[in-house]
Amino acid sequence: MTAAARDALVDGMARWANPSSPHADGRAARAMLEEARARIAAAYGWTGEVLFTSGASESLAIVLTRAVPTRRLVSAVEHDACLRGAGRAETIAVDSAGCVDPATIDARDALVAVQWCNSETGVRQPLHAVAETAHGAGGLLLVDAAQMPATTGLAGDADFVALSAHKRGGGPGVGALLVRDLATLAPTGGQERGYRPGTENVPGILAFAAAIAEPEPDHSAMRNRLDDAIRRSGGDVVAGAAERHPAIGSYRMPGVAAMTQLIRFDLDGIAVSAGSACASGSMKPSHVLRAMGWTEETTREVVRVSFGRTTTDADVDRFIAAWRGVARTARSFAA
C-alpha cells in the first residue's frame, strides 16, 4: 500500500460513518464516497458509472452472471476468477503467444470477456480490435483490468471494466466495476445504485482513490534486462516477443520444477510465484500456458516475476544471480 493510500485509509477510519445514513456524519461519509468515485472515474477517463465492490473477482462475477446478453464468450487465458464466474461459457482460443484473434470471435448477442493483460505472462490483448468485433456484432465487452494502471485507454472500448485496489497500491478487499450503461446489467437492490448490496467500505475506497493518483513507475528497462539475462543463462522467456505489461514476466528454467525454484528463491529472500499469485499454491498445471500450447511438463517449470513500486536494479541483479545459481546446481546434478 502506498503512503498516500495509508494516510487516506487512516483518515477515512477516523471519519467513518455509514454513508447510507441520513444524519450529518452519514452525509459527510457519503460526500467522501462520491468524491472518491469521481476521482476514480476521472483517473480512468470513464464517463459511465463506477460501482464499488470487494475486488476484481466480485466485479467479474457481477457482470458474468447479470449482464443482459444471453451468451458468454471467455478467452482461454482468463484469470481463474473469470472462468469460475463464467460457468459453461464458450471459449475463445488463443495463439502461441496467448493472444486472441478478434476475427475468430462470433459476438452475436454475447458478452465477450478478455483481459487487458494476462496476470501470469503479462501479454496484452488487442482490446481495441476485440471491442470493434464485439460491438459490430451487437455484443458487449468485459475487460479484467486488475493489472492496468490508471489510464484512459479503455474509455472508448469496454462496456464493463473490473478493477482491484490492491493491484494499484490500495488495500485488499476493495475494487470497482466500471459500467458504461446500467441498462445492460440486471440490478439486485441495495447499495451502489442498486447493483451491489452491502455497506460501502469508505476508508478502503478513499485509499483506492489516493493510490491511483500516484503514477506507476515504468519497469520496462528492468524487465528487458531480466529477459536478456534469463535467455543468456539458458532459460526461456514466456511470450517474449509479444507486447507485455512491463511489470510482469514469466520464465522457464528447463529441468527444474517451479516449486523447487520457489523454495530456493524464498531461501534467498526473493518472493516469486508459480502462475498467478492467487493460484500459486496449486499443483495444477497453468491453464494459461496449456492454452498457449505448452506441455504439462514444461508448464511446471515456469515461475512468474512481478515488479513493484519499490523494486530496484539491485533486486533484479539479486534475482538473476539466484536464478543462475539454481540453474547451475540443477545442471551439476544432471551431469
Side-chain angles (χ1 to χ4, degrees), residues 15-80:
R15 296 193 285 162
W16 157 250
N18 190 325
S20 296
S21 297
H23 49 61
D25 288 344
R27 296 196 304 273
R30 171 59 60 179
M32 291 191 295
L33 177 67
E34 296 307 324
E35 180 186 10
R37 195 189 308 275
R39 290 168 61 190
I40 290 170
Y44 285 92
W46 194 255
T47 58
E49 298 286 343
V50 177
L51 307 179
F52 290 116
T53 68
S54 63
S57 293
E58 184 189 3
S59 297
L60 291 168
I62 288 172
V63 179
L64 289 164
T65 57
R66 288 159 46 194
V68 169
T70 57
R71 296 171 59 219
R72 301 288 185 266
L73 302 179
V74 178
S75 92
V77 294
E78 295 300 296
H79 191 280
D80 280 337

Side-chain angles (χ1 to χ4, degrees), residues 165-191:
H166 77 269
K167 294 289 187 180
R168 298 275 59 84
V174 178
L177 173 61
L178 310 185
V179 183
R180 183 174 302 283
D181 181 0
L182 287 177
T184 60
L185 194 66
T188 59
Q191 288 82 353

